[in-house]
Amino acid sequence: MNNPNLVEEMRKISRDPLPTRSPSEIERLIDDLMSKMYLTEKIGQLYETGFDEHDVTGTNYDKSKTPMLIKQGLVGSIIGTHNQQALYRLQKIAVEDSRLGIPLLFAHDIIHGCKTSFPINLALACSFDADLVEKVSQATAFESSHSGVNMTFSPMVDLSRDPRWGRVMEGNGEDPYLSSVLATAYVKGYQQDDLTSYDTIAACVKHYIGYGAAEGGREYNTVDMSEAKLRQYYLPPFEAAVKAGAQSVMSAFNTINGVPASANKKWLKDVLKGELGFDGFVISDFTSTGEVLNHKIARDQKHVAEVCLNTGVDHEMIATTYIDYLEELVTEGRVSMAAVDDACRRVLRVKYRLGLFDNPYKNIYINQEDYWQLPEFLQLAREAAQQSAVLLENKNSILPLSPTTTQTIALIGPLGNSQKTMGGWNGKAWFEDTVTLYKGLQEAYPFANIIQVDGCDLEKPINLELDRVHEVVQQADIVILAVGESLHWSGEAHARANLDFVGLQPQMVEAVLSHGKRTIMVVFGGRPLILTPYKDRVDALVYAWLLGHETGHAIADLISGRVNFSGRLAMSFPYAVGQIPVYYNALPTGRPQHGHYTGDFYFSRYIDIPNEPLYPFGYGLTYSTVDYSSPDVSKKLVKTSGDSVDVSFTVTNTSSVAVYETVQLYIEALYYSVSRPVNELKRFEKVWLDAGESTTITFTLKSTDFGYVVENDQFTVEPVPFFIKVGPASNQTKKTEISLIEG
Ligand code: GLC
């Protein structure tokens, strides 16, 4: 219910530019403020609670207490920013009624769009386009910063090689280099170069660390791996985000080698704050501090508070161990005043950087709708979706399907006319704004006769309409299948042990394929699904992920050829669930399939499926054919330190269709002091090529690009030979050899 007085006040919130304060001035302001703070008020800065039930569900906080806690200076931040009046009221209490008037920080989960829904992050990663990701993040920040958000819990950079884990949808896939480049793009897009701006928000990079390696892909499960592997694969995207200026890092739910990530001195204090020099604040995941008790490394909640604060968690989300016990713990000497001061300083530092002390209401807008879904954002969402979908099969060039066709098209499958292709973790976006594939096809094919049939239920194994399916397929000249997973089957707490299409869809697909009609299969999902049964039986196979609000328009643009495909897989597609984890940058083993061992039996393999994934990292078809020259190098000998080498190659579009080509550069160590992967992505770029156009690409590799973390956890660059490989996919490359030499 709008309170007219509040609304009038909110309309008068100043939008004057805020002063940019130097780091030293901010530290002085913090010193001055902290000199006045009671211990309880310092502890209050370490607590994030919820307020609007719409945002924060099933938790152990009592929202009715929140205003009183704020007045006592016992709340540092709020998660959930839907109700602008509520935010304004809470901030007024903090600023006007608490003793020192320290402003609240408002945070929200906005990871692939705020009110404009962009493709899920794993789909965006398939664009291999950092500029695009930065633009998407800027648009997301704009909509967020004008609707109460000071900080978003994004980017999620958990590397994952296991599609059984539902949260692969939120990440950047299986490669540390791709994820590092995109992590930087997200942070720069959210924060740009001015955190006091009314158009930017702070980034919170998550989930530190190793969450994507949960055993069995089972949600919240144990993580156990060498430090060298964590440093080589899981740490780089966090390092990139911190270097890009991320203001917060979220500690994860999982254990790392037996120690919970939210109570982990080594990774939080020694590595993140020590080695990486992170000077923002570490926030726990949702009650992940309290759950340290479940991990059984603390005897009670008071002990939890001691362990978590002392190991580097600065800000506790929803759990209340800090405000319940830290004062006692300091009095008892189990937590030092210095530790509380450091955590408090980190939170205040981010608040000052955001300009919240100069304008606590800077991101609160009573007319937030005016800043949402601007035409340019919807156009960007369409372009992002076009670049995120991946063409996996296109036999006899059945695609593109001419937009002037007058044929009868049967659109069959429960995702054909569903708005649940938007993606989970959808911020403040509404399903109702999603353009379905059906709607997109109707607009793109005005002369075709499109018959749309669900064929079965989307979520449950019910309502199989085989008679209707057979009837429609018989009438059709061409079939478009729209199958897979809705957004309800991936995301947090949605691990799957089976990666088939959901419910009775497989049966429904078999009915369709029994007719032998020309068939285009469009698959939706938040993760790689098992496509093996269909790969050789459909004429075209499009992986549409979950593409946000512009789903239907983008897929129709691609199928009709108005836009060419350009997506490449950021995650390998397993041949079978039993093959997981399968990833491109694997070690060769002592008996590689194409190794030196004679005989074709005794090598590292399965006897019932091929070794390779069904579709590898970096793979994706387009409507064009592009020729790659072998790479030339500026030198054959590269020093192990302080040196660089230019790698040049020519790409030629030998087709009549322009293409946005995703060129990739990999390296392979011919040997090293530890066994290294058979392939390591080190550069990529999207290059526009008109029909017939050639262009020469040059990448510069530095000595450190050839380095690796070895068994003593040290990063080394060793004087050994390397292949440098270029091509359109990890398994389609041309190579040349160079050698690193001491120097
Ligand atoms: C959730 C997720 C995390 C999210 C947080 C706040 O459990 O793990 O990604 O940012 O809680 O909603």
Side-chain angles (χ1 to χ4, degrees):
M1 182 59 183
N2 275 355
N3 171 332
N5 297 332
L6 275 187
V7 170
E8 266 324 293
E9 283 181 34
M10 291 172 72
R11 291 197 194 290
K12 294 173 187 151
I13 292 173
S14 162
R15 301 301 173 200
D16 295 343
L18 301 179
T20 302
R21 301 182 185 280
S22 69
S24 55
E25 183 187 0
I26 287 177
E27 295 310 305
R28 275 198 307 280
L29 288 166
I30 295 171
D31 290 343
D32 177 52
L33 176 56
M34 286 183 67
S35 67
K36 300 169 187 158
M37 292 173 76
Y38 299 145
L39 172 57
T40 52
E41 291 165 329
K42 291 177 181 176
I43 293 169
Q45 288 304 306
L46 315 188
Y47 176 45
E48 173 169 291
T49 188
F51 183 71
D52 180 337
E53 276 160 353
H54 175 72
D55 299 301
V56 177
T57 53
T59 180
N60 60 359
Y61 79 97
D62 172 359
K63 87 178 184 82
S64 65
K65 286 184 189 164
T66 301
M68 176 266 292
L69 289 172
I70 293 171
K71 186 170 182 177
Q72 294 169 342
L74 293 180
V75 178
S77 69
I78 297 279
I79 174 175
T81 64
H82 284 282
N83 183 329
Q84 300 301 294
Q85 280 201 53
L87 302 184
Y88 184 69
R89 275 201 311 275
L90 297 178
Q91 193 67 296
K92 269 174 76 76
I93 295 170
V95 170
E96 297 176 10
D97 301 344
S98 74
R99 192 176 73 88
L100 291 170
I102 299 172
L104 298 167
L105 179 149
F106 295 110
H108 204 111
D109 286 287
I110 294 175
I111 72 171
H112 61 96
C114 180
K115 202 64 188 178
T116 302
S117 181
F118 292 96
I120 58 171
N121 308 83
L122 183 55
L124 275 173
C126 295
S127 72
F128 276 72
D129 190 336
D131 292 342
L132 172 71
V133 167
E134 187 170 340
K135 289 193 188 99
V136 165
S137 304
Q138 281 182 353
T140 300
F142 183 86
E143 291 188 331
S144 304
S145 64
H146 291 84
S147 61
V149 179
N150 304 134
M151 174 181 282
T152 181
F153 297 129
S154 174
M156 188 276 220
V157 298
D158 301 328
L159 194 103
S160 185
R161 300 163 161 169
D162 194 332
R164 292 171 296 181
W165 190 49
R167 303 196 75 167
V168 294
M169 62 151 286
E170 304 171 41
N172 299 319
E174 70 189 44
D175 180 71
Y177 177 74
L178 173 63
S179 187
S180 300
V181 170
L182 298 185
T184 301
Y186 277 108
V187 173
K188 286 170 63 179
Y190 291 142
Q191 300 187 171
Q192 295 161 54
D193 56 6
D194 181 2
L195 278 171
T196 67
S197 159
Y198 290 87
D199 301 342
T200 60
I201 55 177
C204 171
V205 60
K206 68 188 184 183
H207 306 81
Y208 189 79
I209 186 171
Y211 187 9
E215 280 180 7
R218 198 178 92 216
E219 185 59 282
Y220 312 123
N221 204 7
T222 303
V223 171
D224 214 279
M225 70 175 83
S226 68
E227 176 173 342
K229 183 174 177 184
L230 271 163
R231 285 181 177 275
Q232 181 64 40
Y233 293 97
Y234 296 82
L235 185 61
F238 286 97
E239 185 169 3
V242 167
K243 273 184 185 162
Q247 292 298 300
S248 184
V249 174
M250 184 183 293
S251 65
F253 291 118
N254 53 282
T255 49
I256 305 160
N257 303 336
V259 180
S262 294
N264 200 305
K265 177 183 174 300
K266 174 185 181 57
W267 290 97
L268 292 172
K269 275 195 163 178
D270 302 347
V271 176
L272 178 65
K273 296 178 179 178
E275 287 177 41
L276 303 188
F278 175 62
D279 72 354
F281 65 85
V282 172
I283 184 170
S284 76
D285 201 336
F286 199 103
T287 67
S288 66
T289 47
E291 291 163 19
V292 161
L293 199 63
N294 302 336
H295 287 297
K296 298 190 175 183
I297 66 144
R299 59 183 167 279
D300 54 32
Q301 290 293 348
K302 180 174 176 180
H303 189 196
V304 164
E306 176 186 359
V307 166
C308 292
L309 195 283
N310 282 338
T311 55
V313 176
D314 305 306
H315 204 65
E316 185 172 41
M317 184 193 295
I318 300 299
T320 56
T321 71
Y322 284 15
I323 59 170
D324 291 346
Y325 300 108
L326 276 184
E327 188 176 4
E328 271 177 62
L329 288 163
V330 170
T331 308
E332 294 165 13
R334 291 164 57 185
V335 169
S336 69
M337 191 67 227
V340 173
D341 282 346
D342 178 60
C344 177
R345 176 176 293 274
R346 288 170 177 271
V347 175
L348 294 176
R349 183 178 292 143
V350 173
K351 290 184 175 182
Y352 271 109
R353 287 172 174 168
L354 281 163
L356 288 174
F357 282 89
D358 295 302
N359 184 355
Y361 309 100
K362 64 176 280 218
N363 293 125
I364 298 174
Y365 288 72
I366 193 66
N367 58 332
Q368 58 185 341
E369 298 78 8
D370 296 351
Y371 298 88
W372 288 346
Q373 293 191 332
L374 307 184
E376 58 266 37
F377 294 167
L378 292 172
Q379 179 54 32
L380 180 61
R382 186 166 183 162
E383 288 164 9
Q386 291 161 356
Q387 287 200 57
S388 300
V390 184
L391 181 61
L392 299 175
E393 300 288 341
N394 190 21
K395 299 181 182 73
N396 309 315
S397 299
I398 184 176
L399 290 180
L401 177 64
S402 167
T404 59
T405 182
T406 57
Q407 292 177 321
T408 295
I409 300 172
L411 175 59
I412 300 178
L415 283 153
N417 195 28
S418 166
Q419 293 185 303
K420 294 186 175 180
T421 57
M422 178 171 80
W425 281 119
N426 42 56
K428 305 184 181 187
W430 288 325
F431 296 129
E432 296 75 7
D433 294 336
T434 303
V435 177
T436 65
L437 176 55
Y438 186 30
K439 184 169 190 294
L441 291 172
Q442 286 174 308
E443 292 175 11
Y445 291 94
F447 312 109
N449 169 29
I450 302 176
I451 309 168
Q452 189 276 327
V453 172
D454 281 2
C456 64
D457 188 84
L458 175 55
E459 313 289 1
K460 302 186 187 74
I462 54 175
N463 304 334
L464 186 57
E465 305 167 303
L466 289 185
D467 293 344
R468 177 69 176 139
V469 166
H470 285 302
E471 177 193 351
V472 169
V473 174
Q474 277 158 1
Q475 296 170 31
D477 299 305
I478 190 165
V479 176
I480 297 179
L481 278 165
V483 287
E485 284 182 340
S486 79
L487 63 93
H488 294 310
W489 287 76
S490 58
E492 183 174 359
H494 285 77
R496 292 182 68 191
N498 150 343
L499 298 180
D500 297 333
F501 299 161
V502 172
L504 297 174
Q505 293 181 66
Q507 291 88 321
M508 190 267 295
V509 170
E510 289 307 324
V512 170
L513 296 180
S514 67
H515 289 259
K517 290 279 180 83
R518 288 184 301 149
T519 301
I520 299 159
M521 176 179 273
V522 179
V523 182
F524 296 89
R527 51 158 57 92
L529 295 173
I530 299 300
L531 305 174
T532 311
Y534 314 108
K535 171 178 173 12
D536 298 327
R537 300 164 66 204
V538 297
D539 297 286
L541 184 51
V542 175
Y543 216 75
W545 301 109
L546 296 167
L547 292 175
H549 279 156
E550 287 295 305
T551 293
H553 285 149
I555 298 172
D557 291 336
L558 292 163
I559 283 180
S560 65
R562 197 178 73 76
V563 173
N564 197 351
F565 282 91
S566 67
R568 295 292 206 275
L569 294 180
M571 196 168 176
S572 303
F573 274 60
Y575 194 94
V577 171
Q579 191 182 40
I580 295 168
V582 60
Y583 45 95
Y584 88 96
N585 46 359
L587 302 188
T589 78
R591 293 197 174 188
Q593 180 166 343
H594 306 299
H596 310 297
Y597 184 78
T598 55
D600 59 4
F601 193 77
Y602 294 95
F603 59 85
S604 175
R605 70 186 190 120
Y606 300 95
I607 63 170
D608 54 352
I609 63 169
N611 252 20
E612 295 74 20
L614 191 69
Y615 298 107
F617 176 84
Y619 170 84
L621 300 176
T622 71
Y623 293 141
S624 310
T625 49
V626 176
D627 180 53
Y628 283 67
S629 73
S630 293
D632 291 326
V633 290
S634 57
K635 58 177 84 166
K636 282 290 190 181
L637 302 177
V638 181
K639 296 189 183 71
T640 52
S641 66
D643 204 350
S644 66
V645 54
D646 289 343
V647 183
S648 300
F649 57 101
T650 300
V651 287
T652 303
N653 181 354
T654 55
S655 78
S656 60
V657 180
V659 65
Y660 205 13
E661 181 72 1
T662 304
V663 303
Q664 301 154 50
L665 181 151
Y666 297 85
I667 66 171
E668 179 186 352
L670 273 64
Y671 64 91
Y672 211 76
S673 63
V674 293
S675 183
R676 283 183 64 161
V678 296
N679 239 341
E680 296 173 49
L681 179 73
K682 290 296 176 185
R683 295 289 184 274
F684 61 87
E685 189 178 317
K686 295 203 77 160
V687 181
W688 182 264
L689 292 171
D690 283 326
E693 183 181 3
S694 284
T695 190
T696 297
I697 312 285
T698 298
F699 288 126
T700 298
L701 294 177
K702 305 183 297 300
S703 304
T704 49
D705 285 313
F706 296 92
Y708 200 72
V709 179
V710 295
E711 62 182 332
N712 63 358
D713 308 328
Q714 297 306 306
F715 179 82
T716 67
V717 182
E718 298 173 12
V720 299
F722 282 84
F723 287 132
I724 293 178
K725 307 183 253 187
V726 297
S730 57
N731 66 339
Q732 300 166 43
T733 56
K734 293 182 176 177
K735 64 187 177 188
T736 188
E737 188 174 331
I738 65 160
S739 287
L740 264 64
I741 56 175
E742 279 300 353

